[in-house]
Amino acid sequence: VLLPLLAVLAATVPLTAGRIQAADRAGRTASIVRTAVDVGTLIQELQQERVLSLGYLVTSTGRDELLLRSARVRDAISDVRTRTGASLSPQLSTALDDLGGLDDTRARILVRQIKPAVVFTAFGDLIGQGQRAGVLPPGDPERLRLLVLATLQGIAALVTSGRVQPG
């Protein structure tokens, strides 16, 4: 009775170890996709805040929408930090920290003491830094595939939600 039990146990250990490794890889994959989606959402929110900021400076309208968008950017920053936790890369952490520098720019926008070109550059520099923070290591096709998938899912979600119109 003991010998068959040991044989079954010996046969299931490698199978169980393989399943644990597969589950671990799936967890890492899901984490990469969530981070890519969150960073993509943050970048989109920043781009929209930049457009609203420029519109506010030029037309003197849209203050409430601008304030709301600024709050959404802050929420998106918090979401990225919260969801990535300990796996937050140093480069992405620095990019998120640097977004705090927009507070002075935002205050100057609201009192109209900043030129549109300065706003465009300030936001553009931070958006570019965020995009570079998401750069994948060379030769990592699996992560690249996941990033493309996450980007497509993010676009599909935006179209489905009605926030963006196709075409």
Side-chain angles (χ1 to χ4, degrees), residues 118-157:
V118 174
V119 171
F120 188 83
T121 301
F123 275 89
D125 290 347
L126 292 170
I127 289 167
Q129 184 179 357
Q131 290 169 331
R132 286 187 299 278
V135 170
L136 300 173
D140 194 347
E142 178 65 15
R143 291 186 76 187
L144 180 58
R145 183 182 68 78
L146 292 172
L147 184 60
V148 170
L149 174 64
T151 301
L152 292 174
Q153 288 176 335
I155 292 169

Side-chain angles (χ1 to χ4, degrees), residues 26-151:
R28 285 194 310 264
T29 298
S31 176
I32 291 167
V33 169
R34 274 192 305 274
T35 299
V37 169
D38 289 345
V39 170
T41 299
L42 172 58
I43 289 171
Q44 179 188 11
E45 293 290 345
L46 276 169
Q47 289 170 332
Q48 292 177 359
E49 184 182 8
R50 175 175 58 182
V51 168
L52 289 171
S53 296
L54 294 170
Y56 177 73
L57 287 172
V58 173
T59 66
S60 303
T61 61
R63 180 183 172 93
D64 293 339
E65 292 85 358
L66 175 57
L67 292 171
L68 179 62
R69 184 63 60 184
S70 296
R72 288 175 68 171
V73 168
R74 287 185 189 97
D75 289 345
I77 293 168
S78 177
D79 289 347
V80 171
R81 285 196 186 281
T82 301
R83 292 183 186 160
T84 55
S87 66
L88 184 66
S89 72
Q91 188 178 15
L92 183 54
S93 179
T94 299
L96 294 175
D97 290 343
D98 290 348
L99 289 174
L102 280 178
D103 289 341
D104 180 58
T105 302
R106 287 178 178 125
R108 292 174 61 201
I109 289 167
L110 293 175
V111 294
R112 300 182 184 294
Q113 292 183 349
I114 192 168
K115 294 181 184 223
V118 174
V119 171
F120 188 83
T121 301
F123 275 89
D125 290 347
L126 292 170
I127 289 167
Q129 184 179 357
Q131 290 169 331
R132 286 187 299 278
V135 170
L136 300 173
D140 194 347
E142 178 65 15
R143 291 186 76 187
L144 180 58
R145 183 182 68 78
L146 292 172
L147 184 60
V148 170
L149 174 64
T151 301

